[in-house]
Amino acid sequence: MDAIRVRGGTPLQGRIPIAGAKNACLALMPATLLTEEPLTLTNAPRLSDIRTMGLLLESLGAEVAALQDGRVLALASHTPTEPRADYEIVRRMRASVLVLGPLLARLGRAEVSLPGGCAIGARPVDLHQMAMERLGAELELRDGYLHARAPRGLRGAVVEFPVVSVGATENTLMAATLARGTTVIRNAAREPEIVDLAQCLRAMGARIEGEGTSEITIEGVHHLHGATHRVVPDRIELGTYMLAPAIAGGEVECLGGRLDLVAAFAEKLADAGVEVSETADGLSVRRTGDRVRAVDVQTAPFPGFPTDLQAQMMALMTTAEGTSQLEERIFENRFMHAPELGRMGARIDVQGGVATVTGVDRLKGAPVMATDLRASVSLILAALAAEGETVVRRVYHLDRGYERLEEKLGACGADIERIRE
Ligand code: UD1
């Protein structure tokens, strides 16, 4: 199995290109199921999660071609045949549930395996289910599958979410494009990935207003057509690489980075004493002092501080001057990186949803284990600052969300390599 070895202590200097957003692309790909015409996505990230979504779409009868070394995805769903998302694929990736809305809208039926447990919490799909029911579908849970039917087609409705859900908003948005009448999504997620999906659907002929606010209105249309859409930059990859010079020292320019995608996060970095400036090509990040200052963080739906950057921010706080509190409000079990960071000398006390981090002068390299996608990259960040050698195992988690991570950091002077054990 692959592992990543890092010898820490080198300040970084260089430029890192930011890829297209994994989470946007995972929602955009199923949109191909809404039309028989081709959908082309450019600026796609080359990640195992994207390949998994490709396999899922193929299993549903769609054509999926990765062109230009995977940067361009040419999708087509002329005649979707099998509206069944099989457990074998769904269990690998929760985002598989995003085929539910499009299949129901196009075919009037869908069978989607329940995603099952997940390392970062229970993550149910009840909100997806509720939304489809509001749009007139009948859903039944049988044999571990959600069996959904809308024999007379979906009809517009008011869908009000009790909590903000990115995935359930995306499913509802896609389903409503082909529903009869008007749908209003209340308490909708406002993430940039939602805005990106709405823009793509609009290019396909959908009538949508209000994306990026908590109320989205969709006028259903009879038919959607093909489109070409450029995937928005990955704000989580961006935030992660912004943290690299913050923790290791030096200066890194993140090419394609946009401040509006990471505003709340960049504000916290500034509070910690990290300089973030806009350049002609992206965002440049530089640590001003020897150590950063401790700052408190609470995760929240966009535009708040993203849960997907909490683990990485914790890595930075392990060497900050002072004590910081990180509160996780989106997922209940998302501190698995804390004990691994502890193996590198970090002082972290977790009580329920709050981690208290007391900064230390220096971390020390150690063998550690990745437990999920963002946790694994937090260990890499910590390793960049640590004295000596760190080996991060189980990096297949990392490959789900970061393309060529060791090359990108290596190009900035980090001593990092992938090894086979
Ligand atoms: C998406 C992102 C993920 C990110 C998360 C929160 C993708 C592919 N993944 O995940 O990286 O961490 O947003 O920003 O875009 N919930 C329910 N019932 C449901 C659905 C969700 O209770 O039916 C809860 C979840 O358990 C969680 C909260 O709602 O506590 C938010 O989850 P949600 O926004 O749905 O996350 P995902 O769309 O799965």
Side-chain angles (χ1 to χ4, degrees):
M1 230 190 287
D2 283 4
I4 288 186
R5 181 164 59 205
V6 181
R7 293 188 188 89
T10 328
L12 305 178
Q13 199 74 44
R15 309 173 95 197
I16 296 182
I18 302 303
K22 168 181 83 78
N23 286 351
C25 201
L26 288 176
L28 291 161
M29 292 171 75
T32 192
L33 298 170
L34 293 165
T35 175
E36 73 282 3
E37 292 182 23
L39 174 65
T40 304
L41 300 175
T42 63
N43 196 36
R46 292 167 291 186
L47 300 167
S48 61
D49 268 10
I50 300 298
R51 288 189 286 277
T52 304
M53 181 56 87
L55 287 177
L56 175 60
L57 292 174
E58 281 177 343
S59 78
L60 300 171
E63 288 165 22
V64 178
L67 312 175
Q68 294 181 24
D69 198 20
R71 280 269 166 260
V72 173
L73 297 174
L75 310 167
S77 172
H78 303 298
T79 43
T81 41
E82 180 64 43
R84 181 180 164 93
D86 199 83
Y87 178 63
E88 273 314 302
I89 300 184
V90 177
R91 72 184 172 87
R92 283 193 247 163
M93 190 182 64
R94 189 186 147 77
S96 305
V97 76
L98 294 174
V99 301
L100 175 65
L103 284 175
L104 261 177
R106 174 100 176 264
L107 296 177
R109 64 202 165 95
E111 288 172 29
V112 179
S113 166
L114 283 188
C118 160
I120 64 172
R123 300 180 89 179
V125 291
D126 56 318
L127 300 174
H128 300 252
Q129 198 172 338
M130 176 278 279
M132 296 307 120
E133 281 169 351
R134 292 287 303 152
L135 296 179
E138 288 162 22
L139 278 86
E140 190 193 352
L141 180 63
R142 223 181 325 123
D143 317 322
Y145 281 75
L146 271 179
H147 295 254
R149 281 168 48 81
R152 288 177 305 281
L154 296 174
R155 51 174 162 64
V158 175
V159 178
E160 180 155 1
F161 289 113
V163 295
V164 176
S165 163
V166 176
T169 301
E170 290 166 342
N171 242 333
T172 312
L173 187 56
M174 287 191 276
T177 57
L178 291 177
R180 249 178 301 123
T182 307
T183 298
V184 180
I185 308 177
R186 299 218 171 108
N187 202 21
R190 290 185 277 167
E191 270 66 3
E193 293 75 28
I194 304 279
V195 174
D196 204 41
L197 175 62
Q199 284 169 352
C200 175
L201 292 169
R202 202 179 288 124
M204 294 167 70
R207 295 178 60 192
I208 301 169
E209 271 175 29
E211 75 275 13
T213 75
S214 50
E215 186 165 304
I216 306 177
T217 306
I218 306 112
E219 294 283 348
V221 295
H222 282 299
H223 181 255
L224 293 181
H225 50 75
T228 295
H229 176 81
R230 183 178 168 83
V231 181
V232 68
D234 194 316
R235 64 198 167 95
I236 307 303
E237 191 197 27
L238 170 61
T240 301
Y241 288 127
M242 288 170 75
L243 280 166
I247 194 163
E251 181 164 7
V252 167
E253 187 180 12
C254 296
L255 304 175
R258 276 171 28 199
L259 207 48
D260 62 303
L261 297 175
V262 286
F265 166 74
E267 225 166 86
K268 288 292 175 188
L269 276 191
D271 292 348
V274 179
E275 211 177 83
V276 179
S277 51
E278 293 184 89
T279 64
D281 300 320
L283 293 178
S284 188
V285 182
R286 190 168 74 94
R287 189 175 77 195
T288 45
D290 258 0
R291 281 173 78 179
V292 297
R293 290 187 292 275
V295 290
D296 294 339
V297 166
Q298 292 179 337
T299 63
F302 194 86
F305 191 100
T307 173
D308 286 351
L309 284 172
Q310 177 260 110
Q312 300 91 311
M313 190 68 178
M314 188 183 291
L316 178 66
M317 287 300 111
T318 60
T319 58
E321 223 162 319
T323 300
S324 57
Q325 287 206 324
L326 288 94
E327 188 178 350
E328 174 54 57
R329 291 178 156 194
I330 308 289
F331 295 113
E332 66 265 33
N333 184 20
R334 207 172 194 184
F335 286 136
M336 275 144 353
H337 41 287
E340 294 299 312
L341 289 168
R343 295 174 50 76
M344 300 173 73
R347 287 177 56 199
I348 305 168
D349 176 41
V350 174
Q351 300 288 337
V354 179
T356 305
V357 183
T358 307
V360 296
D361 269 346
R362 252 207 179 293
L363 295 173
K364 301 231 161 57
V368 289
M369 204 141 74
T371 50
D372 71 55
L373 170 55
R374 308 304 171 184
S376 51
V377 85
S378 78
L379 300 173
I380 303 273
L381 288 173
L384 292 174
E387 215 168 62
E389 182 177 293
T390 297
V391 175
V392 182
R393 297 204 164 78
R394 298 202 180 163
V395 294
Y396 53 85
H397 290 294
L398 203 68
D399 296 333
R400 291 185 49 199
Y402 293 90
E403 61 168 51
R404 301 182 299 117
L405 168 116
E406 60 277 21
E407 275 176 46
K408 290 186 181 186
L409 287 170
C412 294
D415 188 346
I416 180 169
E417 64 182 330
R418 188 176 283 255
I419 52 175
R420 204 141 268 166
E421 291 189 317

